[in-house]
Amino acid sequence: MKLDDFTSIFPKLPGAMPIWHGTVNAQDLYSLCEQVKQAGGKLVSLWGSDETEKGGHYALHVSLLSIDGMLVLTLTVDQTKPAFPDLSVLFPAANRMQRSVTDMLGLHPTEAGDQRKWLRHSTWPDNVHPLRKSFDMNTRFTPEEDNYSFVTVTGKGVHEIAVGPVHAGTIEPGHFRFSVVGERVLKLEERLGYKHKGIEKRFEYMTLQQGAKLAGRISGDTTVGYAWAYAQAVESATLTTPPPRALWLRALFLELERLLNHIGDLGYLGNDAALAFGFIQFWILKEDLLRMNGDLFGHRYLMDRIVPGGVTHNLDNSGLLRISEMLNHIKHETGILKDIYDEHAGVQDRFLTTGFVAPDLAAQLGLTGLAGRASGQAWDARAQFPCIPYDQLDVQMATHRNGDVAARVTMRFEEIFESVRLIRLMLEQLPAGELSAELGNANEGVLGIGWVEGWRGEIMVALHVGENNRIHRLHPHDPSWQNWPVLEHAIMDNIVPDFPLINKSFNLSYSGVDL
Amino acid sequence: MLQIIKQILLTGNKTEAPPQPNDAMRNGVQQINAQILNHVGRALAIRHVDAGSCNGCELEIHCLNNAYYNIEGLGINFVASPRHADMLLVTGPVSRHMEIALKRTYDATPDPKLVVAIGDCGCDGGIFGESYASCGKVANVIPVDVTVPGCPPTPTEILQGILTAVSSNK
Ligand code: SF4
């Protein structure tokens, strides 16, 4: 099957984004993945589902990004021999996703080199797969030994530093194992999955309406991104079109979320480079913005403000004015702070060349989102596949090729200024009208996909509809899946004390991938 | 440098008055004794443990360090090791994968110690509840003194929870 034809062969899914879906055999799946890769495209996500009750088989789903849009492929997987082609040879980012499919559903990639468990620790045995329909969410097991085999580095003077899961700061839990010589890092190996709390299984006990709240809690710092992607997926499956005003307000929320995270990160990046002044300044700004959100929309992080069909909160003229003043404040303060960061020799010394990811390595490993754009990977759905209202705002994508901490810092500054510009336009052009549309019914078996450019990168939500507007299967995808493995490369040859700075410059989600 | 000093002066002092302790948040038998009470006012050492949150509660804990709440100015410090801590601030439903780590962190914290569970998830399991993968509320795994509901609770509410715990038996 030829990639060029996919938009004509496969049906386009209803909804806001250019997404096509088709069912293929194993050979075509591999071949299409190969063609997407050769054409400069990339893997977004990979997940499985249990169709044994109605269809007598399992399924593997793969979503890919090409310049034409998103291509979602479904492969029927035999119940008695649940295997699928190993895609990690094409897309290294598939490694952990495939291992999760094995843990959660018991489907195996054929001949994959790395078949270690990923999401499963010691809580449930290896012959149990929680996302199988026969598995009851409330089953309990007696934990066994974890026995995870880390890759060990040997050689003269090599020793290991093991960190976590409980870290020394207010951050999410995960385990990092450094192999070092002196202070120089030879290798970092990550072990995640500590926050696995059964999100995907829980979705399967919910209706399409109920799922919205859980979607907004997959990764708290991206609550708007996930809520919007979830709403898109439901709206696609139910053939619902939200009113224009709701779509504009959603984009406003998404850009406010981007501002919050970028501003907070810039503060911490200053702090990690020993400029406490930067933390104090940026976090005053962040608190100002949070309070504005709380006053105008009733939640500091805008949780649950986007619901399937529309949004819950309106914006009046005094609110418009308040946001407009806040934008002036942010632009003014951030401008001053950018000059200070740029001219501070100590800060620049820590930022420049640290945690370097070359553009070709970024392309090979699939580095995505903000971190990808800092290493020459020019993907931003707001600019390339603009839905309402981005199609009317001419989003300017920021990209850099230096790939170091400094580049990821500069990206954040530039995206703050761009978000300020976008929000200004939104305030000027916000259409009048309703805040939500009534949801239609979804047919069983329908697939709905949501796809939003969150502050970290692309957020995708895949919804497989069950009976009576219930969720049969839901897979949320966080860009951290792609970027965590690249962090292992970014730290190589750097010194251990630079790890917090490098880690912060990526600021990846644990909860978003542990699920 | 001049620009930094100018910006500091222009910013001024943002720190606000702290909230009052809230009796409604008290929960169970609190282990506080005179020794810790003596510490309060000079330095209360807190170790935060994320036991499986969505990271939303962490965002608000971070805010406690901003200039508006200025928690260090009140004599409250976040420390890097449970061995230095008087109090554990625990977020999230406790994922089963974090159960042992949380218990070990609790055991590593010297007595007498206080535990404050943060957020709807910490209080009752929240939207994640109990399952094959989640132990639910923090109190299902370690003893809890004070619970602070909210999703996520605001920095003021979290601070109120902390002050409520340390001011018990006063
Ligand atoms: S209480 Fe809310 S914000 Fe806190 S961890 Fe739970 S879902 Fe996230």
Side-chain angles (χ1 to χ4, degrees):
Chain A
M1 199 178 284
K2 279 270 186 305
L3 178 67
D4 297 345
D5 309 328
F6 87 76
T7 55
S8 54
I9 298 174
F10 298 129
K12 183 175 175 295
L13 295 181
M17 300 298 284
I19 305 170
W20 286 262
H21 176 231
T23 300
V24 290
N25 62 28
Q27 210 179 350
D28 283 344
L29 173 68
Y30 192 87
S31 153
L32 282 167
C33 285
E34 208 169 20
Q35 293 176 58
V36 165
K37 185 188 159 92
Q38 274 160 8
K42 57 182 187 173
L43 171 76
V44 178
S45 187
L46 184 156
W47 68 103
S49 63
D50 181 346
E51 312 298 341
T52 53
E53 284 177 348
K54 295 257 160 97
H57 60 83
Y58 297 105
L60 182 83
H61 314 275
V62 178
S63 62
L64 305 156
L65 205 51
S66 85
I67 45 164
D68 295 313
M70 187 181 282
L71 174 60
V72 182
L73 299 170
T74 293
L75 170 74
T76 300
V77 177
D78 190 60
Q79 202 174 345
T80 50
K81 213 171 123 271
F84 60 88
D86 173 24
L87 298 178
S88 67
V89 287
L90 297 172
F91 303 110
N95 172 299
R96 292 176 183 177
M97 301 182 207
Q98 292 184 164
R99 288 156 65 191
S100 302
V101 169
T102 306
D103 290 346
M104 301 303 291
L105 261 169
L107 320 183
H108 298 265
T110 34
E111 293 172 19
D114 186 354
Q115 302 237 15
R116 290 174 297 168
K117 59 185 176 179
W118 180 249
L119 285 183
R120 187 175 72 82
H121 287 194
S122 58
T123 300
W124 68 93
D126 67 351
N127 59 353
V128 167
H129 306 291
L131 283 180
R132 288 201 173 168
K133 287 292 173 187
S134 55
F135 178 85
D136 176 348
M137 177 170 72
N138 294 311
T139 319
R140 303 278 196 283
F141 305 93
T142 318
E144 298 160 4
E145 280 295 303
D146 186 15
N147 291 331
Y148 186 78
S149 47
F150 286 92
V151 177
T152 43
V153 179
T154 51
K156 199 161 167 255
V158 180
H159 71 280
E160 280 187 352
I161 307 174
V163 189
V166 180
H167 293 304
T170 303
I171 44 172
E172 301 185 82
H175 182 82
F176 298 127
R177 196 161 289 200
F178 300 91
S179 299
V180 300
V181 171
E183 290 225 303
R184 198 165 65 94
V185 178
L186 296 180
K187 181 177 170 60
L188 161 66
E189 188 171 1
E190 299 152 358
R191 177 90 206 277
L192 304 179
Y194 287 91
K195 301 191 100 174
H196 177 76
K197 46 193 175 283
I199 290 180
E200 287 176 291
K201 188 73 181 178
R202 189 161 287 280
F203 269 117
E204 296 181 12
Y205 290 69
M206 293 179 153
T207 63
L208 300 184
Q209 294 273 12
Q210 289 165 340
K213 195 171 171 208
L214 184 54
R217 284 156 183 80
I218 290 163
S219 178
D221 56 35
T222 312
T223 180
V224 173
Y226 276 104
W228 192 357
Y230 180 83
Q232 272 186 359
V234 173
E235 286 151 10
S236 165
T238 57
L239 304 176
T240 308
T241 310
R245 188 173 178 85
L247 294 172
W248 283 71
L249 285 171
R250 285 176 177 181
L252 169 70
F253 296 163
L254 189 72
E255 296 310 315
L256 287 172
E257 180 166 87
R258 195 179 317 278
L259 286 176
L260 279 179
N261 281 289
H262 285 4
I263 288 171
D265 282 351
L266 286 172
Y268 269 124
L269 283 158
N271 208 40
D272 282 340
L275 185 66
F277 162 83
F279 170 78
I280 300 291
Q281 291 288 331
F282 275 112
W283 280 70
I284 289 171
L285 211 50
K286 181 169 179 179
E287 180 71 23
D288 291 339
L289 195 50
L290 286 167
R291 289 181 180 193
M292 183 196 82
N293 282 351
D295 291 346
L296 295 183
F297 306 111
H299 195 286
R300 285 159 57 92
Y301 298 90
L302 306 170
M303 272 182 176
D304 310 322
R305 305 299 100 151
I306 294 179
V307 290
V311 295
T312 57
H313 281 60
N314 209 345
L315 185 62
D316 61 13
N317 279 338
S318 66
L320 285 174
L321 200 66
R322 173 105 185 253
I323 298 177
S324 168
E325 282 164 5
M326 180 60 71
L327 294 179
N328 292 339
H329 177 53
I330 289 174
K331 194 169 176 196
H332 177 254
E333 295 292 300
T334 308
I336 292 173
L337 295 170
K338 181 168 193 310
D339 288 346
I340 290 174
Y341 273 38
D342 284 349
E343 283 162 22
H344 196 288
V347 165
Q348 289 305 318
D349 182 49
R350 293 288 306 281
F351 285 178
L352 286 164
T353 72
T354 309
F356 173 63
V357 181
D360 54 349
L361 182 69
Q364 190 194 335
L365 298 178
L367 187 68
T368 192
L370 170 125
R373 293 193 286 277
S375 289
Q377 305 309 299
W379 294 92
D380 184 335
R382 297 175 303 159
Q384 288 155 318
F385 311 104
C387 59
I388 300 173
Y390 292 110
D391 57 347
Q392 291 156 62
L393 303 176
D394 189 23
V395 178
Q396 299 298 308
M397 183 192 340
T399 51
H400 287 271
R401 297 189 60 80
N402 286 349
D404 53 4
V405 172
R408 293 184 283 275
V409 167
T410 306
M411 279 294 308
R412 287 178 167 92
F413 275 116
E414 291 177 2
E415 292 196 352
I416 287 175
F417 293 128
E418 178 63 1
S419 289
V420 166
R421 187 186 73 85
L422 294 173
I423 297 174
R424 273 226 177 92
L425 291 176
M426 291 173 197
L427 297 181
E428 282 166 17
Q429 300 174 34
L430 187 65
E434 296 294 312
L435 293 184
S436 68
E438 200 167 326
L439 281 188
N441 283 316
N443 289 331
E444 189 182 357
V446 161
L447 170 69
I449 301 271
W451 168 22
V452 167
E453 189 71 33
W455 68 270
R456 209 180 252 124
E458 60 261 344
I459 301 294
M460 188 211 74
V461 166
L463 163 71
H464 302 261
V465 178
E467 289 172 342
N468 304 322
N469 293 309
R470 298 190 70 84
I471 298 171
H472 166 66
R473 169 82 173 96
L474 192 130
H475 179 69
H477 176 84
D478 197 278
S480 304
W481 278 105
Q482 271 82 358
N483 291 3
W484 273 118
V486 186
L487 179 65
E488 293 183 341
H489 289 263
I491 179 70
M492 273 183 205
D493 269 336
N494 287 257
I495 56 173
V496 178
D498 272 338
F499 180 70
L501 182 66
I502 297 170
N503 191 21
K504 198 52 167 178
S505 73
F506 284 86
N507 192 6
L508 304 175
S509 172
Y510 299 68
S511 51
V513 297
D514 289 353
L515 299 173
Chain B
M1 197 64 213
L2 262 181
Q3 210 181 357
I4 292 183
I5 293 169
K6 188 175 151 213
Q7 180 71 6
I8 290 172
L9 290 175
L10 279 176
T11 304
N13 186 351
K14 296 281 189 187
T15 306
E16 298 171 341
Q20 295 301 311
N22 179 0
D23 277 330
M25 289 176 169
R26 260 182 246 289
N27 179 19
V29 186
Q30 301 194 1
Q31 301 181 19
I32 194 156
N33 70 8
Q35 201 187 349
I36 284 194
L37 274 179
N38 286 340
H39 279 301
V40 178
R42 296 209 304 278
L44 171 75
I46 301 181
R47 172 67 256 206
H48 158 257
V49 183
D50 175 347
S53 79
C54 80
N55 198 29
C57 284
E58 278 61 38
L59 299 177
E60 290 296 46
I61 295 174
H62 284 292
C63 286
L64 283 176
N65 287 311
N66 78 33
Y68 286 97
Y69 305 103
N70 189 16
I71 195 169
E72 291 217 13
L74 296 174
I76 302 174
N77 230 330
F78 282 96
V79 294
S81 167
R83 300 206 188 277
H84 305 156
D86 308 308
M87 177 189 288
L88 296 180
L89 205 59
V90 187
T91 60
V94 183
S95 71
R96 295 197 185 271
H97 288 170
M98 279 301 289
E99 188 179 354
I100 295 172
L102 177 61
K103 279 186 181 147
R104 285 193 188 154
T105 307
Y106 180 81
D107 291 341
T109 310
D111 278 321
K113 54 196 160 196
L114 291 162
V115 175
V116 179
I118 299 295
D120 287 351
C121 295
C123 292
D124 64 11
I127 193 165
F128 306 107
E130 289 180 35
S131 70
Y132 75 96
S134 168
C135 306
K137 63 182 175 183
V138 177
N140 285 346
V141 179
I142 56 171
V144 169
D145 298 287
V146 170
T147 53
V148 184
C151 185
T154 62
T156 306
E157 287 161 347
I158 297 172
L159 194 46
Q160 223 168 17
I162 293 170
L163 297 178
T164 304
V166 294
S167 65
S168 57
N169 293 357
K170 233 180 190 170

Coordinates of all heavy atoms in Angstrom, one line a residue, chain A residues 230-281:
Chain A
Y230 N -9.9 15.2 24.8 CA -10.9 14.2 25.1 C -12.2 14.7 24.5 O -13.0 13.9 23.9 CB -11.1 14.1 26.7 CG -12.2 13.1 27.1 CD1 -11.9 11.8 27.1 CD2 -13.4 13.6 27.4 CE1 -12.9 10.9 27.4 CE2 -14.5 12.7 27.7 CZ -14.2 11.4 27.7 OH -15.2 10.5 28.0
A231 N -12.5 16.0 24.7 CA -13.8 16.6 24.1 C -13.8 16.4 22.6 O -14.8 16.0 22.1 CB -13.9 18.1 24.5
Q232 N -12.7 16.6 22.0 CA -12.6 16.4 20.5 C -13.0 15.0 20.1 O -13.7 14.7 19.2 CB -11.2 16.7 20.0 CG -10.9 18.1 19.6 CD -9.5 18.3 19.0 OE1 -8.8 17.3 18.8 NE2 -9.2 19.5 18.6
A233 N -12.4 14.1 20.9 CA -12.6 12.6 20.6 C -14.1 12.3 20.7 O -14.7 11.6 19.9 CB -11.8 11.8 21.5
V234 N -14.7 12.8 21.8 CA -16.2 12.5 22.0 C -17.0 13.2 21.0 O -17.9 12.6 20.4 CB -16.6 13.0 23.4 CG1 -18.1 12.9 23.6 CG2 -15.9 12.2 24.5
E235 N -16.6 14.4 20.6 CA -17.4 15.2 19.6 C -17.3 14.5 18.2 O -18.2 14.5 17.5 CB -16.9 16.6 19.6 CG -17.4 17.4 20.8 CD -16.5 18.5 21.2 OE1 -15.6 18.9 20.5 OE2 -16.7 19.1 22.3
S236 N -16.1 14.0 17.9 CA -15.9 13.2 16.7 C -16.8 12.0 16.7 O -17.5 11.7 15.7 CB -14.5 12.8 16.5 OG -14.3 11.9 15.5
A237 N -16.8 11.3 17.8 CA -17.6 10.0 17.8 C -19.1 10.3 17.8 O -19.9 9.5 17.4 CB -17.2 9.2 19.1
T238 N -19.5 11.4 18.4 CA -21.0 11.7 18.5 C -21.4 12.7 17.4 O -22.6 13.1 17.4 CB -21.3 12.3 19.9 OG1 -20.5 13.5 20.1 CG2 -21.0 11.4 21.0
L239 N -20.5 13.0 16.5 CA -20.9 14.0 15.4 C -21.4 15.3 16.0 O -22.4 15.8 15.5 CB -21.8 13.4 14.4 CG -21.4 12.1 13.8 CD1 -22.5 11.5 12.9 CD2 -20.1 12.2 13.0
T240 N -20.7 15.8 17.0 CA -21.2 17.1 17.6 C -20.2 18.2 17.2 O -19.0 18.0 17.2 CB -21.1 16.9 19.2 OG1 -21.9 15.8 19.6 CG2 -21.7 18.2 19.9
T241 N -20.8 19.3 16.9 CA -19.9 20.5 16.6 C -20.1 21.5 17.7 O -21.2 22.1 17.8 CB -20.3 21.1 15.2 OG1 -20.3 20.0 14.3 CG2 -19.2 22.1 14.8
P242 N -19.1 21.8 18.5 CA -19.3 22.9 19.5 C -19.4 24.2 18.9 O -18.9 24.5 17.8 CB -18.0 22.8 20.3 CG -17.3 21.6 19.8 CD -17.8 21.3 18.5
P243 N -20.2 25.1 19.5 CA -20.3 26.5 18.9 C -19.0 27.2 18.9 O -18.1 27.0 19.7 CB -21.3 27.2 19.9 CG -21.3 26.3 21.1 CD -20.9 25.0 20.8
P244 N -18.8 28.2 17.9 CA -17.6 28.9 17.7 C -17.0 29.5 19.0 O -15.8 29.4 19.3 CB -17.9 29.9 16.7 CG -19.1 29.4 16.0 CD -19.9 28.6 16.9
R245 N -17.9 30.1 19.8 CA -17.4 30.8 21.0 C -16.7 29.8 21.9 O -15.7 30.2 22.5 CB -18.6 31.5 21.7 CG -18.1 32.4 22.9 CD -19.2 33.2 23.5 NE -18.8 34.1 24.6 CZ -18.2 35.3 24.5 NH1 -18.0 35.8 23.3 NH2 -17.9 35.9 25.5
A246 N -17.2 28.6 22.0 CA -16.6 27.6 22.9 C -15.2 27.3 22.4 O -14.3 27.1 23.2 CB -17.5 26.4 22.9
L247 N -15.1 27.1 21.0 CA -13.8 26.8 20.5 C -12.8 27.8 20.7 O -11.6 27.6 21.0 CB -13.9 26.5 19.0 CG -14.8 25.3 18.6 CD1 -15.1 25.2 17.2 CD2 -14.1 24.0 19.2
W248 N -13.2 29.1 20.6 CA -12.3 30.2 20.9 C -11.9 30.2 22.4 O -10.7 30.5 22.7 CB -12.9 31.5 20.4 CG -12.8 31.7 19.0 CD1 -13.6 31.1 18.0 CD2 -12.0 32.6 18.2 NE1 -13.2 31.5 16.8 CE2 -12.3 32.5 16.9 CE3 -11.0 33.5 18.6 CZ2 -11.6 33.2 15.8 CZ3 -10.3 34.3 17.6 CH2 -10.6 34.1 16.2
L249 N -12.8 30.0 23.2 CA -12.5 30.0 24.7 C -11.6 28.8 25.0 O -10.7 29.0 25.8 CB -13.8 30.0 25.5 CG -14.6 31.3 25.5 CD1 -15.9 31.1 26.2 CD2 -13.8 32.4 26.3
R250 N -11.8 27.7 24.3 CA -10.9 26.6 24.6 C -9.4 26.9 24.2 O -8.5 26.6 25.0 CB -11.3 25.3 23.7 CG -12.5 24.6 24.3 CD -12.9 23.5 23.3 NE -14.1 22.8 23.8 CZ -14.6 21.7 23.2 NH1 -14.1 21.3 22.1 NH2 -15.6 21.1 23.7
A251 N -9.3 27.6 23.1 CA -7.9 28.0 22.7 C -7.3 29.0 23.6 O -6.1 29.0 24.0 CB -8.0 28.5 21.3
L252 N -8.2 29.9 24.1 CA -7.7 30.8 25.2 C -7.2 30.1 26.4 O -6.1 30.4 26.9 CB -8.9 31.8 25.6 CG -8.7 32.6 26.8 CD1 -7.7 33.7 26.5 CD2 -10.0 33.3 27.2
F253 N -8.0 29.1 26.8 CA -7.5 28.3 28.0 C -6.2 27.6 27.7 O -5.3 27.5 28.6 CB -8.6 27.2 28.4 CG -9.9 27.8 28.8 CD1 -11.1 27.0 28.8 CD2 -10.0 29.1 29.2 CE1 -12.3 27.6 29.2 CE2 -11.3 29.7 29.6 CZ -12.4 28.9 29.6
L254 N -6.1 27.0 26.5 CA -4.9 26.3 26.2 C -3.7 27.2 26.2 O -2.6 26.8 26.6 CB -5.1 25.6 24.8 CG -3.9 24.6 24.4 CD1 -4.1 23.4 25.2 CD2 -4.0 24.3 22.9
E255 N -3.8 28.4 25.7 CA -2.7 29.3 25.7 C -2.4 29.8 27.1 O -1.2 30.1 27.4 CB -2.9 30.5 24.7 CG -3.1 30.1 23.2 CD -1.9 29.2 22.7 OE1 -0.8 29.5 23.0 OE2 -2.2 28.2 22.1
L256 N -3.4 30.0 27.9 CA -3.2 30.3 29.3 C -2.4 29.2 30.0 O -1.5 29.5 30.8 CB -4.5 30.6 30.0 CG -5.2 31.9 29.7 CD1 -6.6 32.0 30.3 CD2 -4.4 33.1 30.1
E257 N -2.7 28.0 29.7 CA -2.0 26.9 30.3 C -0.5 26.8 29.8 O 0.4 26.6 30.6 CB -2.7 25.5 29.9 CG -2.0 24.3 30.4 CD -2.9 23.1 30.3 OE1 -2.8 22.4 29.3 OE2 -3.6 22.8 31.3
R258 N -0.3 27.2 28.5 CA 1.0 27.2 28.0 C 1.8 28.3 28.7 O 3.0 28.1 29.2 CB 1.0 27.5 26.5 CG 2.3 27.3 25.7 CD 2.2 27.6 24.2 NE 0.9 27.1 23.6 CZ 0.7 25.9 23.2 NH1 1.7 25.0 23.3 NH2 -0.4 25.5 22.7
L259 N 1.2 29.5 28.9 CA 1.9 30.6 29.7 C 2.2 30.1 31.1 O 3.4 30.3 31.5 CB 1.0 31.8 29.7 CG 0.8 32.6 28.4 CD1 -0.2 33.7 28.7 CD2 2.1 33.2 28.0
L260 N 1.3 29.5 31.8 CA 1.5 29.1 33.2 C 2.7 28.2 33.2 O 3.6 28.4 34.1 CB 0.3 28.3 33.7 CG -0.9 29.1 34.2 CD1 -2.0 28.1 34.6 CD2 -0.5 30.0 35.4
N261 N 2.8 27.2 32.4 CA 3.9 26.2 32.4 C 5.2 26.8 32.0 O 6.2 26.6 32.6 CB 3.5 25.0 31.6 CG 2.5 24.1 32.3 OD1 2.9 23.4 33.3 ND2 1.3 24.1 31.9
H262 N 5.2 27.6 30.9 CA 6.5 28.2 30.5 C 7.0 29.1 31.5 O 8.2 29.2 31.8 CB 6.3 28.9 29.1 CG 6.1 27.9 28.0 ND1 6.1 26.6 28.1 CD2 6.0 28.2 26.6 CE1 6.0 26.0 26.9 NE2 5.9 26.9 26.0
I263 N 6.1 29.9 32.1 CA 6.6 30.9 33.1 C 7.2 30.2 34.3 O 8.2 30.5 34.8 CB 5.4 31.8 33.5 CG1 5.1 32.8 32.3 CG2 5.7 32.6 34.7 CD1 3.8 33.6 32.5
G264 N 6.4 29.2 34.8 CA 6.9 28.4 35.9 C 8.3 27.7 35.6 O 9.2 27.8 36.4
D265 N 8.4 27.2 34.4 CA 9.6 26.5 34.1 C 10.8 27.5 34.0 O 11.9 27.1 34.4 CB 9.5 25.8 32.7 CG 8.7 24.5 32.8 OD1 8.4 24.0 33.9 OD2 8.4 23.9 31.8
L266 N 10.6 28.6 33.4 CA 11.7 29.6 33.3 C 12.2 30.0 34.7 O 13.3 30.2 34.9 CB 11.2 30.8 32.5 CG 11.1 30.6 31.0 CD1 10.5 31.8 30.3 CD2 12.5 30.3 30.4
G267 N 11.2 30.1 35.7 CA 11.6 30.4 37.0 C 12.5 29.3 37.6 O 13.6 29.5 38.2
Y268 N 12.1 28.0 37.4 CA 12.9 26.9 38.0 C 14.2 26.8 37.2 O 15.2 26.4 37.8 CB 12.1 25.6 37.9 CG 11.3 25.4 39.1 CD1 9.9 25.2 39.1 CD2 11.9 25.3 40.4 CE1 9.2 25.0 40.3 CE2 11.2 25.2 41.5 CZ 9.9 25.0 41.5 OH 9.2 24.8 42.7
L269 N 14.2 27.1 35.9 CA 15.5 26.9 35.2 C 16.5 28.0 35.7 O 17.7 27.7 35.8 CB 15.2 27.1 33.7 CG 14.6 25.8 33.1 CD1 13.9 26.1 31.8 CD2 15.7 24.8 32.8
G270 N 16.0 29.2 36.0 CA 16.9 30.2 36.7 C 17.4 29.6 38.0 O 18.6 29.7 38.3
N271 N 16.5 29.1 38.8 CA 16.8 28.6 40.1 C 17.9 27.5 40.0 O 18.8 27.5 40.8 CB 15.5 28.0 40.7 CG 15.6 28.1 42.2 OD1 16.0 29.1 42.8 ND2 15.1 27.0 42.9
D272 N 17.7 26.6 39.1 CA 18.6 25.5 38.9 C 20.0 25.9 38.4 O 21.0 25.2 38.5 CB 18.1 24.4 38.0 CG 17.0 23.5 38.7 OD1 17.0 23.5 40.0 OD2 16.2 22.9 38.0
A273 N 20.0 27.1 37.9 CA 21.3 27.7 37.5 C 21.8 28.7 38.5 O 22.6 29.6 38.2 CB 21.2 28.4 36.1
A274 N 21.3 28.6 39.8 CA 21.7 29.4 40.9 C 21.3 30.8 40.8 O 21.9 31.7 41.5 CB 23.2 29.3 41.1
L275 N 20.3 31.1 40.0 CA 19.7 32.5 40.0 C 18.4 32.5 40.7 O 17.3 32.4 40.0 CB 19.6 33.0 38.6 CG 19.2 34.5 38.4 CD1 20.3 35.4 39.0 CD2 18.9 34.9 37.0
A276 N 18.3 32.5 42.0 CA 17.1 32.4 42.8 C 16.2 33.6 42.4 O 15.0 33.5 42.4 CB 17.4 32.4 44.2
F277 N 16.8 34.7 42.0 CA 16.0 35.9 41.6 C 15.0 35.5 40.5 O 13.9 36.0 40.5 CB 17.1 36.9 41.1 CG 16.5 38.0 40.2 CD1 15.9 39.1 40.8 CD2 16.6 37.9 38.9 CE1 15.3 40.1 40.0 CE2 16.0 38.9 38.0 CZ 15.4 40.0 38.6
G278 N 15.5 34.7 39.6 CA 14.6 34.3 38.4 C 13.4 33.5 38.9 O 12.3 33.8 38.5
F279 N 13.6 32.6 39.9 CA 12.5 31.9 40.4 C 11.5 32.8 41.1 O 10.3 32.7 40.8 CB 13.0 30.8 41.4 CG 11.9 30.2 42.2 CD1 11.1 29.2 41.6 CD2 11.6 30.6 43.5 CE1 10.1 28.6 42.3 CE2 10.5 30.0 44.2 CZ 9.8 29.0 43.6
I280 N 12.0 33.7 41.9 CA 11.1 34.6 42.6 C 10.3 35.4 41.6 O 9.0 35.5 41.8 CB 11.9 35.6 43.5 CG1 12.7 34.8 44.6 CG2 11.0 36.6 44.2 CD1 11.9 34.1 45.6
Q281 N 10.9 36.0 40.6 CA 10.3 36.8 39.7 C 9.2 36.1 38.9 O 8.1 36.5 38.8 CB 11.3 37.5 38.7 CG 12.2 38.5 39.4 CD 11.5 39.8 39.8 OE1 10.6 40.2 39.1 NE2 11.9 40.4 40.9

